[in-house]
Amino acid sequence: MAVEPATTRDIAAAEKGEGFEPTAKHNESATRGESSDEKPTKGVTDSDGDVASVQRGLEPPDFIKGLTAEEREDLERKLKRKIDTRLLPAIILMYILNYIDRNNIAAAKLAGLEKDLNLSSVEYSTAVSILFVGYLLMQIPSNLLLNKLGKPALYLPTCMILWGIISAVTAACTNSAGLLANRFFLGFVEAAYFPGCLYYLSCWYTRKELGFRTAVLYSGALISGAFSGLLSAGVTYGMDGTRGISAWQWLFIIEGVITVGVAMGAYFVLPNFPRTTTWLTEEERILAVWRLEEDVGQDDWVNSAQQTFWQGARLAFTDPKTYVLTVLVFCISASGTVTNFFPAVVSTLGYDRVPSLLLTAPPYVLAVIVTYANASHADKTGERYWHVAGPMIVAIVAYIIAATTSHIAPRYLAMMLMVPSVYSGFVVALAWISNTMPRPPAKRAAALALINAVANTSSIYASYLYPNSAAPQYTLAMIVNCVTAVIAVVAATVLRVILVRLNKKLERGVFVEGAINSVPGGGINAFRFKI
C-alpha cells in the first residue's frame, strides 16, 4: 500500500544512492577531496534541480490527517501491540534456537564430545572458531539479499531449516575432520539470522523503539544461555547411552529437530515488511509506513527495484561512522567471548558436571533483567552513550576480579557480572547502528551485516584463549577481555563526539552527509542523531 502518492513520488525522484543524485559541481568538489559535511543545504541538488537528501515538507496521508492526537496515539498503540505480538515471540524463539545450535558445542564438551571424538585441545578450539569463518563470509551477502528480496517471512525460516538439519547431523560426526566441516557450514547458514533480524526490526520500528526491541531479540541469546545449561544438564544426566547414543549426540539431535519444527511454524507467523504485509488492515499499513517516514523524514523500504546491492555496500563502506561503530561493536563482542566457553569457565569452580551446568543459568537470568532495564531506559531517555559505556565499565571490573582471585565466591560474582554487563551494553550498541545510519535501507542493511560480521571475528581467535591448561582463572583471556572493554568505552566516546558535532551542524542548517536534512527555507529539521 503506497503512502500519499505525492509524497512518495517526491522522495523517489530525489532518492538516488544516499538519497540524492549529485550534480557535476558536487562531484567535482568530491573528487578534489573536499568535505560535503559543511555544504549548505541549498547547494545540494539533484539532476532535476530539486533539493535532495533533505526532509521534504512531509504531508501525512489523508487518513492520518483526519485523526486527532488522541486517536492517533490510541491507533498507534494498538498497531505496535499487534506487531509486537506477531513478530517478537517468533524471532525470540528462533534466536534462542539459533544461539543454542551455534554454542551447544561448549555443553557437548562437558557431555563427552571431546573424549568420544578423541579431540586435542587445539582441535576442539578450531572446531569452535571455524564456525565463525563461515558466519563472517555470508553476513553481508545475506543481508543485502534479504533487503533485495523483501521476503523475510520466507527467507529466515528457510535458513533456519537448513541450519537445524546441519546441527542435527553433528551427531553423526566421528572425527575432527567431519566436525570441522559440519561447523563451517553451520556458521555459513546461521549467518543469515541475527544481522537479518537487526535489519528486519529496523524496518518495523522507529528509532526510539529500536533499543528495547533489539534487547527483546537478544534476550533469545540470554534465555538460550540459561535454557541450554538446563537442557544439557537433563540430557547429560538422563540420556547418556540411551539407544547406544552418547549424551552429546542426543544434544545435537534433539536441538536440531526442535529447530526444524519451529522453522516450519515460522512460515505462517512472520510478516514481511509493513508495506507488503497482508494481515494489517489498509489503515494499519498506512500508519505503519508513515511512522517510519515521519521518524527520519524519508520513506523506508518501498520495493525491491529500489534496493541495490552495491550502492548499499558502497554507502556503508564510505561512511566514517561505520568504522567507529565497527570498533565499538567488535570490542564489546570480543569482551563477551567468554560466553562462548561459559560452561567450561563455570566448571573451574570445582563442582561436578551437572551442578556446573546448572550454575551457568543464573548469570543469564540476571542478564535478561538487566538488558531489558538498560534498553528500556535508553529508549525512554533517547540516550545511547552511557547505556553502552556504563555496562562496559562494570565488565572491566568483573574481568579484573576474575583474573586476580582464585576464591570461589568472588570468581562466581565476576561471572554473574560479566554476562549481564556485556550483553546489556551490546544490545544498545546494536540499536545505535540503525539510529546512526537510518537511510537508505540498503545502506542500513549493509552496515548492520558488516559491523556484526567484523565483530564476530573475535570468536575465531578467542577459542584459543581458553585451553584446558589455562584453567581455572584463564588469566590471559580475562586480560584480553578487559582491554577490549576499555577500547569499547573509548570508541563509544569517539562516536558520541562525532554525533554531537554533526547534530550541531544540523541545528545550524548545514548539510550533513548521511543525515536527513531540511529543505532550504523550510525551518530546521527535527532529525538528530541519537547520542
Side-chain angles (χ1 to χ4, degrees):
M1 170 60 65
V3 191
E4 185 77 354
T7 302
T8 303
R9 182 176 61 251
D10 288 344
I11 294 171
E15 264 189 8
K16 302 286 184 182
E18 178 105 18
F20 68 95
E21 180 73 20
T23 61
K25 180 178 179 180
H26 185 77
N27 280 332
E28 289 170 4
S29 65
T31 304
R32 292 194 302 268
E34 296 175 9
S35 171
S36 61
D37 283 352
E38 296 290 350
K39 294 185 185 298
T41 306
K42 64 182 181 181
V44 182
T45 58
D46 64 13
S47 57
D48 297 323
D50 292 333
V51 175
S53 191
V54 299
Q55 183 179 27
R56 300 286 179 180
L58 293 178
E59 281 292 321
D62 292 337
F63 166 67
I64 303 297
K65 287 180 182 179
L67 298 174
T68 65
E70 293 76 14
E71 290 172 337
R72 163 77 185 269
E73 183 179 356
D74 182 62
L75 185 59
E76 193 161 350
R77 183 170 54 251
K78 292 178 180 177
L79 173 65
K80 285 190 289 186
R81 187 184 304 121
K82 189 172 184 179
I83 296 170
D84 287 343
T85 302
R86 182 83 175 225
L87 181 61
L88 296 183
I91 64 172
I92 291 172
L93 182 57
M94 292 170 75
Y95 193 45
I96 288 173
L97 294 168
N98 177 274
Y99 209 77
I100 286 178
D101 290 342
R102 189 193 319 168
N103 292 320
N104 56 8
I105 192 171
K109 178 182 179 181
L110 294 184
L113 168 72
E114 197 173 30
K115 180 181 177 181
D116 287 358
L117 298 190
N118 196 28
L119 301 177
S120 67
S121 180
V122 172
E123 287 174 331
Y124 171 78
S125 297
T126 303
V128 173
S129 66
I130 199 170
L131 176 141
F132 295 95
V133 176
Y135 194 75
L136 301 179
L137 290 174
M138 193 56 186
Q139 287 202 28
I140 296 177
S142 175
N143 244 26
L144 290 173
L145 180 60
L146 171 61
N147 178 62
K148 180 70 175 178
L149 295 175
K151 298 288 185 181
L154 294 176
Y155 185 74
L156 296 178
T158 299
C159 292
M160 188 177 184
I161 288 174
L162 292 176
W163 90 60
I165 293 172
I166 295 171
S167 180
V169 170
T170 309
C173 294
T174 58
N175 53 46
S176 62
L179 182 63
L180 291 175
N182 177 274
R183 296 282 295 173
F184 172 82
F185 287 109
L186 179 63
F188 194 82
V189 178
E190 281 205 354
Y193 190 73
F194 185 62
C197 265
L198 291 178
Y199 172 66
Y200 190 23
L201 287 175
S202 71
C203 293
W204 278 97
Y205 295 101
T206 65
R207 291 179 301 149
K208 69 180 182 180
E209 299 162 355
L210 265 181
F212 179 72
R213 269 70 181 191
T214 302
V216 170
L217 168 64
Y218 211 74
S219 68
L222 307 178
I223 295 170
S224 75
F227 178 73
S228 179
L230 298 174
L231 177 61
S232 300
V235 172
T236 301
Y237 179 77
M239 297 191 67
D240 192 17
T242 300
R243 296 183 178 275
I245 299 175
S246 299
W248 67 268
Q249 292 174 303
W250 277 118
L251 275 177
F252 288 113
I253 293 170
I254 292 172
E255 291 167 0
V257 169
I258 293 174
T259 296
V260 173
V262 169
M264 297 295 291
Y267 280 120
F268 304 98
V269 176
L270 288 181
N272 285 311
F273 293 140
R275 194 181 296 276
T276 58
T277 293
T278 58
W279 50 263
L280 294 176
T281 66
E282 182 178 357
E283 289 79 9
E284 288 171 336
R285 281 198 298 274
I286 292 172
L287 179 58
V289 172
W290 172 249
R291 281 176 4 101
L292 300 175
E293 183 174 357
E294 185 181 47
D295 183 40
V296 297
Q298 284 187 358
D299 206 349
D300 199 72
W301 199 96
V302 179
N303 56 58
S304 61
Q306 294 189 17
Q307 315 305 321
T308 62
F309 286 91
W310 304 119
Q311 184 75 346
R314 183 186 67 80
L315 292 171
F317 275 98
T318 55
D319 190 331
K321 297 189 295 297
T322 300
Y323 299 99
V324 180
L325 282 161
T326 299
V327 173
L328 170 62
V329 178
F330 169 83
C331 287
I332 297 178
S333 183
S335 179
T337 52
V338 64
T339 59
N340 293 343
F341 309 92
F342 206 58
V345 172
V346 173
S347 70
T348 63
L349 295 174
Y351 297 100
D352 292 336
R353 288 192 302 172
V354 172
S356 292
L357 288 168
L358 294 174
L359 284 172
T360 63
Y364 284 98
V365 174
L366 179 61
V368 172
I369 298 170
V370 173
T371 299
Y372 277 165
N374 190 53
S376 297
H377 192 260
D379 277 356
K380 183 178 180 180
T381 61
E383 203 278 339
R384 293 292 181 261
Y385 172 73
W386 283 111
H387 291 84
V388 174
M392 296 314 299
I393 292 172
V394 175
I396 292 168
V397 173
Y399 292 129
I400 291 174
I401 294 173
T404 56
T405 182
S406 58
H407 297 292
I408 292 178
R411 286 177 60 217
Y412 191 63
L413 172 63
M415 296 172 196
M416 288 290 295
L417 291 176
M418 61 181 68
V419 177
S421 58
V422 170
Y423 280 135
S424 60
F426 186 61
V427 296
V428 177
L430 292 174
W432 212 359
I433 300 172
S434 293
N435 293 162
T436 305
M437 300 180 178
R439 299 294 183 273
K443 177 184 178 180
R444 189 172 75 243
L448 285 166
L450 169 66
I451 294 168
N452 194 61
V454 174
N456 278 282
T457 59
S458 59
S459 295
I460 296 176
Y461 74 78
S463 61
Y464 299 99
L465 296 178
Y466 295 85
N468 297 335
S469 59
Q473 288 175 272
Y474 296 101
T475 304
L476 177 60
M478 297 305 162
I479 291 173
V480 172
N481 294 341
C482 186
V483 170
T484 52
V486 170
I487 298 174
V489 174
V490 173
T493 304
V494 171
L495 181 61
R496 188 181 191 279
V497 170
I498 292 173
L499 296 181
V500 166
R501 290 178 178 175
L502 293 178
N503 281 344
K504 288 180 179 178
K505 291 179 181 179
L506 289 170
E507 289 170 4
R508 299 197 304 268
V510 176
F511 178 82
V512 174
E513 190 82 39
I516 310 303
N517 294 271
S518 299
V519 175
I524 299 299
N525 180 13
F527 174 86
R528 295 294 181 271
F529 292 105
K530 298 284 187 182
I531 58 171

